[in-house]
Amino acid sequence: MTPPFSPVLLLGLALRPVRPAVLQPLFDAMLRLVRSRHPDILERLEAYGDRIVCIDPVDLPFALLLEPNPEQPRLTVRRFVDADEVHATIRGPLETLIALAEGKVDGDALFFSRQLVVEGDTEVVVALRNAIDGAGIDLVADLASALGPLANPAQRAATGMLEMLSSLRGSVETVRQALIAPAMQNATARDARLAELEDEVKALRKAARRGIGR
């Protein structure tokens, strides 16, 4: 899956030199918050506690391995993931994955529109989706809650930043279009010229066949 040109992709490029171990404490904290605020999610995945699900944001230089064992869940940051070590993979842009986790989008629609790729054991993926559906996950609110008295200001600041990123996405798309426009024009002109040459070759072949027939 080709990552979309977006602010997240630019962030991913900036994070490329960062070692996964540096990011691991952040995801450990996120998992603790999910366990405390949404314990029913892991409880509903008890039958799949021994399965490993790879969550792969294609616009970031790392993936996450989720082990949903209710007793000892793990969310591990990895630079590379071997397909043989996971039971299922969910792959898509970060923004899409977050919207899916928060129940804001239809997972089936994303799959059929190819905005989301699912590989491996679809049973555990369906179980994970069913577990988070209706859980009321709000990542901004959940993360801000860890700040105690500063939760509300932090949530407002984070919401404002996300709105700014959403606005910036349009600007980034404009830049992308400006950058690729000359290449697209050249490709269109090249395709038109190739079509002309094909027509000329066909005409020459017909003329040659008529000459041989005489």
Side-chain angles (χ1 to χ4, degrees), residues 18-41:
V18 178
R19 294 183 297 110
V22 175
L23 300 172
Q24 187 60 53
L26 171 64
F27 290 97
D28 289 340
M30 288 179 62
L31 183 58
R32 286 195 296 269
L33 279 172
V34 171
R35 291 187 70 184
S36 63
R37 291 174 66 89
H38 309 284
D40 53 314
I41 293 178

Side-chain angles (χ1 to χ4, degrees), residues 182-203:
M184 294 297 292
Q185 291 173 356
N186 290 338
T188 301
R190 181 197 61 206
D191 291 343
R193 181 54 182 157
L194 285 174
E196 291 176 2
L197 290 173
E198 287 178 358
D199 290 339
E200 291 176 6
V201 169
K202 289 177 182 178

Side-chain angles (χ1 to χ4, degrees), residues 84-143:
D84 294 335
E85 63 181 313
V86 301
H87 296 87
T89 298
I90 305 172
R91 181 175 292 113
L94 178 64
E95 188 174 4
T96 299
L97 294 174
I98 291 176
L100 184 67
E102 294 183 335
K104 295 179 178 178
V105 291
D106 183 345
D108 292 334
L110 291 175
F111 175 77
F112 287 113
S113 64
R114 300 182 182 276
Q115 297 181 59
L116 193 71
V117 173
V118 175
E119 300 170 345
D121 187 349
T122 55
E123 184 179 349
V124 67
V125 174
V126 171
L128 177 60
R129 191 188 69 175
N130 291 339
I132 62 178
D133 276 351
I137 295 177
D138 184 330
L139 290 179
V140 171
D142 289 346
L143 292 174

